[in-house]
Amino acid sequence: MRELYRQDLAQLGNELDRMSRNVARAIERATTALREGDLMMAEQTIDADDRLDDAARDIDQMCVALLALQGPVASDLRLILAALRLSQTMERQGDLARHLALIARSTYPNHSIAEQAAPLVNRMCDTAVQMATLMMQLVSTQDLSLAAQFLDMVDPPASFPVDPRRTVCRAHGDLTRSQV
């Protein structure tokens, strides 16, 4: 019975790893679609969001089953609860990627980012890709030094404005809300 439990925990780790790779790919594709106006990449990202939602549901169900049927304690309990939270975080990251892809699709064939906003939006896109890649590495390796790096990235850098749209509009008053 305990061997089956260990296999279930390993399967949970594998599913988290797979989901983190898919989330990182979705964010990378979405930011590329946004920057380059790539309609096909935007469509792929939008389609992938349903699979990410399904993966999050599957992981949550695995966690609930492990909690209900195995009665984990101590480190296993912390691992399962972390998996529950992580699956929801990754699901939200997938939703973010979908949102960026929808913006890219809605502005096609025009470029999605106003020229004046491009430096700020590109930095934000770069940071999103870096965070997703770091999260993927963290899930895969479980290296706690990566966790510290990730936590440093979670708080927006001081160089990012709290409301980027207002910042760009103030600097370039000739832009409409949809252009930003």
Side-chain angles (χ1 to χ4, degrees):
M1 188 68 157
R2 240 25 208 166
E3 181 59 33
L4 184 59
Y5 174 63
R6 291 285 162 216
Q7 288 175 358
D8 288 346
L9 283 177
Q11 180 64 26
L12 177 61
N14 292 338
E15 293 301 319
L16 282 169
D17 187 45
R18 181 178 301 119
M19 186 176 182
S20 70
R21 291 179 191 286
N22 290 336
V23 165
R25 185 177 316 120
I27 290 174
E28 195 168 327
R29 284 181 176 170
T31 57
T32 298
L34 187 66
R35 292 182 213 207
E36 298 173 10
D38 188 326
L39 183 61
M40 184 177 293
M41 193 125 351
E43 293 293 344
Q44 289 173 348
T45 304
I46 293 165
D47 292 342
D49 185 52
D50 288 337
R51 290 187 298 278
L52 291 173
D53 292 345
D54 291 342
R57 264 189 302 279
D58 291 346
I59 289 169
D60 290 352
Q61 289 173 353
M62 288 176 71
C63 291
V64 168
L66 284 167
L67 289 169
L69 300 174
Q70 299 295 335
V73 295
S75 62
D76 289 347
L77 180 60
R78 287 189 293 274
L79 176 76
I80 293 168
L81 293 177
L84 274 169
R85 298 212 39 199
L86 187 57
S87 71
Q88 292 309 303
T89 298
M90 290 191 292
E91 192 274 332
R92 285 191 303 275
Q93 287 177 312
D95 291 345
L96 167 67
R98 181 177 187 272
H99 182 73
L100 293 176
L102 286 169
I103 292 170
R105 184 176 72 179
S106 71
T107 59
Y108 184 81
N110 297 325
H111 196 57
S112 300
I113 306 169
E115 186 178 324
Q116 300 90 330
L120 177 61
V121 172
N122 284 330
R123 277 195 0 231
M124 293 171 80
C125 286
D126 290 341
T127 300
V129 169
Q130 290 169 0
M131 289 178 76
T133 301
L134 188 59
M135 181 203 51
M136 178 185 66
Q137 292 169 347
L138 174 61
V139 169
S140 178
T141 65
Q142 297 181 5
D143 179 356
L144 294 182
S145 68
L146 294 175
Q149 291 177 28
F150 187 81
L151 288 175
D152 289 341
M153 294 182 82
V154 170
D155 289 329
S159 61
F160 285 156
V162 174
D163 187 349
R165 188 178 317 138
R166 276 199 185 125
T167 303
V168 171
C169 285
R170 269 191 228 122
H172 306 282
D174 57 331
L175 294 177
T176 66
R177 179 183 169 128
S178 64
Q179 288 175 313
V180 176

